[in-house]
Amino acid sequence: MENNVIELRDICKSFYGVQVLKNINLDLKVGEALCIAGENGSGKSTMIKIISGAYDYDYGMLKINGKEFPSITPSQSIAEGIQVIYQDFSLFPNLTVAENIGLSYHLLENKKAYNAKSSREIARESLNRIGVDLDLDRLVEDIPVAQKQIVAIARAIMQDAKVVIMDEPTTALTQNEIYRLYDIINNLKASGVSIIFVSHKLDEIFAVCDRVYVIRNGKEVANYPVDQFERGKLSYYMTGAEIYEEAFVPEELSEEPVFEVRGYSNRNNFKDISFKIHHGEILCITGRLGSGRGELAKTLFGVSPATEGEMFIHGKPVRVRNVSEAIKHKIAYIPDDRLAEGIFLRASIKDNLVAVILDNLKNKLGLVNEKVKAKSAAEWQERLAIKATLGAPGQSLSGGNQQRVVLGKWLASNPEVLILNCPTMGVDVKSKSEIHELIREMAAHDIAILLISDDIGEILNNSNRVIVMNDGRISFEAETETLDYDSLSEKITEIL
Amino acid sequence: MNKIDQKSSFMSRLTETVNNLLMRNETVLVLITIGLSVIIGSINSKFFTIGTIYEILLATVVWGIIGIGVGIVMISGGVDLSSTTIAIFSAYSATKIMLAINPDAPLILLFLIAIVIGGLLGLVNGLFISLFNIPVFFATLATATIYKALMLEYIGNIYITPAQMPQAALDFSRTYVLGGLHVSVLLMFALLILSYIILRYTIVGRGVYALGGAPESAARIGYKLNRLKLSIYIYSGMMYAIGGVVYVCNSRLADPYDLMDSRLTVIAAVVLGGFSLTGGKGSVWGVLLGALLSTIIRNNLILIGISSDWANFVFGLIFIAAVVLQAFNTARTKRRTA
């Protein structure tokens, strides 16, 4: 009993009469890594916000370090050694690594004067503790995402943190960065820090967590030590429905490739990339962050022009020097950062769905025919099962639904080639499998599909051929069925 | 082999350092200022006399001091449109108050009265901005109009002639040190150094940058944002007031209609000094350099026969170049981390 850092007893919480947490019980032991899994809206973030003091709870009891807190403020929670690493990391882009870590320390210690030297020392010490060496004087806006996360972790543990809560920490990381994060977490555990790890990726859960806690509709549905947890059951617990994903097997392949690229290069980003995609195929290009996979996708779509190389669609040479040429040749691109690049947040779902095909909706005067527009949008809404009214703004949708709107926007233009850049990043399990379903359906509909992904499970199940990029070049190519999780992961993370 | 590697890595580090230095706004500004001075100086040798340099510094003083306040607000993520209104409001009111109670009081009284008034007006700005959480640009556009109306209606709308000005103010305007350097230049440097220390070595000062970089994160690590904002606007209000008093003293008259139209001039000088309209960036030395450069362009191009209209043209060009450089830098960092 004494070695519980956090205890929740019968915690209930309602917002505007809607109960989001129902009698939640939870114990977190010293040095334990607990995974909290649940779909979007299941109540897991509310749970974390109650622990971190951002929300009050309505009923129940919260005990931290053996002390009861009828209500707790964020600074009390921090003082008790609870640190949350938010998905956006909450860093200051305009300050250096040392300042980002050191400034929190100065505030916690209630200092009035800022001492740059002690900031550096604190930062150095904290980074040493997680075994990472970073340039302390670089601005945070200049460092890659993975390093930003390390800064956020270093900041969290700099003051005797007892509990570090990580909210989906791996969404922005590639596989080998994730491995490093595992090491960091294991180090923290060994030094007696408890971890709450919010995630719904199986591999992660089994790699670092001691216990799995699944929440659905505000209720606990599973709470097991990880070795008693059935791997296949997670999505069942999370969604309440069994989801099976069978490996993708292409139907008949066409003789001629639909899409072919020869010797594609873009300055220092990637060199000499060649591949073909036939009808019915899903080709996956993977690689670490910085391997050039993202740049390749953008170059194919004309975001930046290729410096060398040729492109063929149905055997005919085409040139794509900018995005409008790509659209003209019926190449569609779905970006990884759907919020920033794919959806017009303020525009209605209807406007979003027809954004690419506006040209086809013109009447004789060159004005948009509203009736045709509404019909077209409604059709895609139905086909993609988007749960919302067409007039609602894009930002009102959940992540998975936003992804579907972006998908629909491009499908409406009847593309020949569809490039999907990490289409399921940050999407919950159920939406993910629905998106996979859609991708497969499109492959069957004569669209050449290029899937860019670093989610190994996704690649193995949803492509028939894999190309691994490493340092801007193709380092490996194989039929997906000849690969398994470990062999592919090894190819991606190998250092050339 | 190893040696060559070391050498080449040293060279690449050196070029990187030089590149980074070149990309810094301060460096670019110094280079432009020097380049412009060399051009003016080579055509008109009078430019490079100590007298001219002192003159330029004197002409920079008011913009430098007001610029500190505008700059600090800009670091925190706002554009203050009330700066020069607060400056003239505080200076004109302080002069009238001092004339009313004791025209022979020492200069420090004039400054103190103005600083209190400026601080209060800044506080009102801060209250609007933090309580209602409205954009600084709109809040200060509104308060500037209100302050102007209040001053003209309740404090006065008739300018104070040189003959009426307090003796201490007139004495101040004639005080030179170091063989001809006006004393207000020293005041400006003192305020720059004070602000530099506050911004760099205090928690509140670092908080100004934190607030401008990521307000929500600043709150999460324990900054009390409303208190921080109030401090920022009070301090800026005080800087405006000091700038206003120096302006009134040096021009030896206090005209309530003066200075108010110059608020965009100060903002332009500060942006030229490397501040970003989106906040989080800038240093007091940038304020100084921006103010110096804009003064040289506006006042000294005439030395080489460029009329003041064309001087404004040149200023516009350099301003655009500065903003383009900023945008370019932002795009570059974005590309690097993408």
Side-chain angles (χ1 to χ4, degrees):
Chain A
M1 203 56 192
E2 270 312 296
N3 60 359
N4 282 341
V5 206
I6 296 178
E7 278 176 42
L8 300 182
R9 288 284 168 269
D10 289 326
I11 292 282
C12 296
K13 173 75 185 171
S14 302
F15 288 112
Y16 310 108
V18 180
Q19 197 169 12
V20 288
L21 291 181
K22 293 163 198 153
N23 301 82
I24 292 289
N25 286 295
L26 180 81
D27 294 315
L28 182 68
K29 297 187 186 70
V30 174
E32 183 184 37
L34 171 76
C35 169
I36 298 184
E39 291 202 276
N40 293 335
S42 58
K44 57 180 193 246
S45 12
T46 311
M47 213 165 137
I48 286 166
K49 283 182 175 159
I50 284 176
I51 297 172
S52 71
Y55 292 155
D56 281 330
Y57 53 96
D58 302 336
Y59 178 82
M61 185 202 65
L62 169 67
K63 230 183 200 183
I64 298 175
N65 298 322
K67 273 178 277 179
E68 255 192 73
F69 285 93
S71 72
I72 188 165
T73 64
S75 39
Q76 278 176 316
S77 176
I78 292 173
E80 288 298 324
I82 293 175
Q83 288 281 350
V84 184
I85 298 172
Y86 295 91
Q87 255 179 308
D88 63 2
F89 306 143
S90 277
L91 296 174
F92 303 105
N94 55 331
L95 301 182
T96 64
V97 171
E99 288 173 321
N100 263 283
I101 300 171
L103 196 54
S104 293
Y105 162 80
H106 281 86
L107 280 159
L108 270 172
E109 296 282 295
N110 238 330
K111 296 210 182 314
K112 293 280 171 274
Y114 177 76
N115 183 335
K117 215 176 120 204
S118 72
S119 261
R120 294 178 62 88
E121 277 161 18
I122 302 277
R124 175 69 63 218
E125 201 184 296
S126 201
L127 287 166
N128 279 344
R129 222 176 123 194
I130 47 180
V132 187
D133 191 34
L134 288 185
D135 184 349
L136 294 179
D137 297 319
R138 287 191 72 181
L139 291 180
V140 163
E141 67 187 0
D142 289 344
I143 63 176
V145 185
Q147 292 186 10
K148 285 183 185 148
Q149 182 176 45
I150 287 167
V151 175
I153 296 174
R155 184 172 72 178
I157 60 160
M158 121 217 105
Q159 271 285 315
D160 316 309
K162 295 203 174 71
V163 181
V164 175
I165 303 176
M166 301 185 187
D167 191 0
E168 298 198 31
T170 59
T171 41
L173 302 189
T174 45
Q175 205 60 44
N176 69 331
E177 289 160 352
I178 293 173
Y179 290 142
R180 181 147 78 166
L181 181 67
Y182 294 168
D183 287 341
I184 293 173
I185 291 174
N186 285 326
N187 281 345
L188 289 176
K189 270 162 62 180
S191 63
V193 176
S194 311
I195 310 280
I196 293 181
F197 193 87
V198 178
S199 174
H200 40 60
K201 291 187 191 155
L202 272 173
D203 311 308
E204 293 170 16
I205 297 169
F206 282 89
V208 291
C209 295
D210 305 313
R211 205 147 51 90
V212 187
Y213 185 102
V214 186
I215 178 169
R216 185 171 80 227
N217 294 330
K219 271 199 288 207
E220 171 187 320
V221 285
N223 184 1
Y224 297 116
V226 79
D227 47 12
Q228 291 168 28
F229 193 84
E230 240 183 284
R231 250 187 121 103
K233 282 275 189 182
L234 181 69
S235 52
Y236 167 70
Y237 284 131
M238 283 170 56
T239 59
E242 300 269 2
I243 292 177
Y244 283 113
E245 257 195 19
E246 279 171 32
F248 169 72
V249 184
E251 293 171 19
E252 242 171 285
L253 295 190
S254 62
E255 300 246 316
E256 296 299 317
V258 182
F259 185 56
E260 184 179 354
V261 161
R262 281 186 214 151
Y264 239 52
S265 305
N266 182 324
R267 280 187 218 97
N268 301 322
N269 294 322
F270 57 85
K271 270 207 168 64
D272 200 21
I273 304 292
S274 304
F275 60 82
K276 295 174 186 173
I277 309 176
H278 297 82
H279 265 165
E281 262 198 309
I282 302 177
L283 171 68
C284 176
I285 293 187
T286 183
R288 293 186 294 242
L289 202 69
S291 63
R293 58 180 160 97
E295 288 80 4
L296 173 66
K298 287 187 176 175
T299 306
L300 291 173
F301 189 55
V303 175
S304 68
T307 42
E308 264 171 76
E310 298 164 288
M311 183 189 278
F312 302 88
I313 293 179
H314 287 300
K316 278 189 229 123
V318 294
R319 287 187 70 177
V320 170
R321 284 163 299 191
N322 51 49
V323 173
S324 35
E325 283 183 345
I327 294 175
K328 201 177 86 195
H329 293 302
K330 295 200 173 280
I331 298 173
Y333 171 71
I334 300 190
D336 51 349
D337 190 345
R338 64 187 183 279
L339 289 173
E341 299 182 52
I343 194 160
F344 302 111
L345 288 170
R346 305 242 164 116
S348 70
I349 295 168
K350 181 162 60 169
D351 287 342
N352 266 295
L353 281 170
V354 298
V356 180
I357 54 162
L358 273 181
D359 262 354
N360 309 343
L361 303 176
K362 278 190 304 208
N363 60 21
K364 278 178 205 141
L365 292 171
L367 301 172
V368 173
N369 185 329
E370 286 293 328
K371 256 192 210 154
V372 181
K373 175 174 146 184
K375 213 178 119 197
S376 164
E379 184 191 322
W380 283 105
Q381 181 192 26
E382 200 189 308
R383 280 188 66 175
L384 297 169
I386 297 162
K387 282 162 270 169
T389 51
L390 283 173
Q395 61 191 356
S396 65
L397 292 174
S398 66
N401 276 322
Q402 284 188 1
Q403 198 80 340
R404 270 183 235 154
V405 169
V406 177
L407 211 58
K409 175 176 105 178
W410 286 107
L411 290 180
S413 68
N414 288 320
E416 299 271 10
V417 182
L418 178 62
I419 303 165
L420 298 130
N421 196 355
C422 298
T424 58
M425 199 158 86
V427 168
D428 61 54
V429 185
K430 202 166 160 216
S431 305
K432 193 168 168 177
S433 73
E434 283 168 7
I435 289 172
H436 289 158
E437 197 53 45
L438 265 165
I439 296 174
R440 291 158 179 230
E441 194 186 307
M442 286 182 296
H445 278 93
D446 288 353
I447 300 172
I449 293 183
L450 176 61
L451 174 68
I452 314 257
S453 174
D454 58 359
D455 178 337
I456 294 177
E458 173 172 285
I459 299 168
L460 292 175
N461 270 335
N462 296 288
S463 68
N464 61 308
R465 214 146 41 85
V466 185
I467 289 177
V468 178
M469 282 178 74
N470 202 329
D471 204 16
R473 289 168 188 278
I474 293 180
S475 64
F476 177 75
E477 182 168 0
E479 300 288 320
T480 312
E481 56 185 10
T482 65
L483 299 167
D484 61 17
Y485 193 92
D486 294 326
S487 63
L488 180 55
S489 151
E490 197 181 303
K491 288 293 172 195
I492 294 174
T493 50
E494 82 183 328
I495 312 276
L496 290 185
Chain B
M1 183 66 191
N2 215 338
K3 241 183 177 167
I4 295 170
D5 272 1
Q6 265 180 10
K7 204 174 162 189
S8 70
S9 98
F10 171 75
M11 282 310 287
S12 75
R13 274 224 307 278
L14 188 72
T15 40
E16 196 185 328
T17 317
V18 171
N19 270 335
N20 282 340
L21 214 59
L22 273 179
M23 294 317 285
R24 283 189 54 167
N25 272 296
E26 280 92 342
T27 324
V28 177
L29 271 178
V30 170
L31 291 180
I32 294 178
T33 313
I34 291 174
L36 197 63
S37 306
V38 167
I39 294 172
I40 300 175
S42 64
I43 299 175
N44 189 330
S45 58
K46 257 198 259 166
F47 185 77
F48 277 127
T49 58
I50 198 88
T52 317
I53 293 170
Y54 281 177
E55 259 172 47
I56 293 171
L57 283 170
L58 175 57
T60 306
V61 163
V62 173
W63 313 118
I65 297 174
I66 297 180
I68 294 171
V70 172
I72 289 176
V73 171
M74 211 175 277
I75 296 171
S76 79
V79 178
D80 192 342
L81 289 179
S82 65
S83 62
T84 51
T85 308
I86 293 183
I88 198 66
F89 187 120
S90 317
Y92 179 72
S93 316
T95 313
K96 282 202 88 163
I97 292 171
M98 185 149 131
L99 287 174
I101 46 181
N102 180 6
D104 298 322
L107 185 70
I108 186 76
L109 185 68
L110 186 63
F111 273 103
L112 283 179
I113 299 170
I115 289 172
V116 169
I117 297 173
L120 283 174
L121 297 179
L123 173 69
V124 174
N125 278 351
L127 284 173
F128 273 119
I129 289 157
S130 55
L131 290 185
F132 303 118
N133 210 8
I134 34 178
V136 179
F137 188 88
F138 297 134
T140 53
L141 181 61
T143 54
T145 321
I146 294 168
Y147 296 159
K148 180 183 174 185
L150 287 179
M151 172 175 64
L152 295 176
E153 189 63 31
Y154 291 105
I155 294 165
N157 51 19
I158 301 163
Y159 80 90
I160 299 163
T161 63
Q164 298 166 316
M165 285 293 283
Q167 189 56 42
L170 297 175
D171 291 345
F172 178 78
S173 75
R174 296 191 191 99
T175 310
Y176 291 91
V177 290
L178 300 170
L181 181 65
H182 195 270
V183 65
S184 57
V185 176
L186 297 186
L187 178 63
M188 174 180 77
F189 276 104
L191 294 172
L192 283 168
I193 291 167
L194 173 72
S195 306
Y196 175 77
I197 291 170
I198 291 176
L199 282 177
R200 198 153 175 83
Y201 297 108
T202 69
I203 294 301
V204 175
R206 298 318 291 167
V208 180
Y209 286 90
L211 177 64
E216 200 174 321
S217 309
R220 277 180 185 159
I221 66 167
Y223 272 111
K224 296 187 176 60
L225 295 195
N226 284 350
R227 243 160 72 183
L228 186 59
K229 284 182 189 168
L230 288 185
S231 327
I232 291 170
Y233 289 99
I234 293 171
Y235 187 80
S236 296
M238 291 173 166
M239 290 295 130
Y240 304 151
I242 298 173
V245 172
V246 171
Y247 181 80
V248 164
C249 289
N250 286 356
S251 44
R252 293 177 198 156
L253 58 87
D255 178 358
Y257 290 97
D258 208 352
L259 211 55
M260 276 185 282
D261 296 332
S262 304
R263 57 189 179 191
L264 294 180
T265 315
V266 189
I267 291 170
V270 169
V271 172
L272 199 58
F275 285 71
S276 156
L277 286 176
T278 48
K281 291 205 162 65
S283 76
V284 291
W285 308 120
V287 171
L288 176 65
L289 289 169
L292 264 179
L293 183 58
S294 55
T295 306
I296 294 177
I297 297 168
R298 283 167 200 271
N299 297 7
N300 299 82
L301 283 184
I302 198 110
L303 286 179
I304 55 170
I306 294 178
S307 73
S308 66
D309 290 337
W310 279 105
N312 277 330
F313 179 84
V314 173
F315 181 82
L317 281 187
I318 292 181
F319 184 74
I320 284 184
V323 177
V324 168
L325 180 72
Q326 249 188 39
F328 175 71
N329 261 340
T330 318
R332 197 179 67 134
T333 30
K334 243 182 140 178
R335 259 207 313 282
R336 251 195 324 213
T337 51

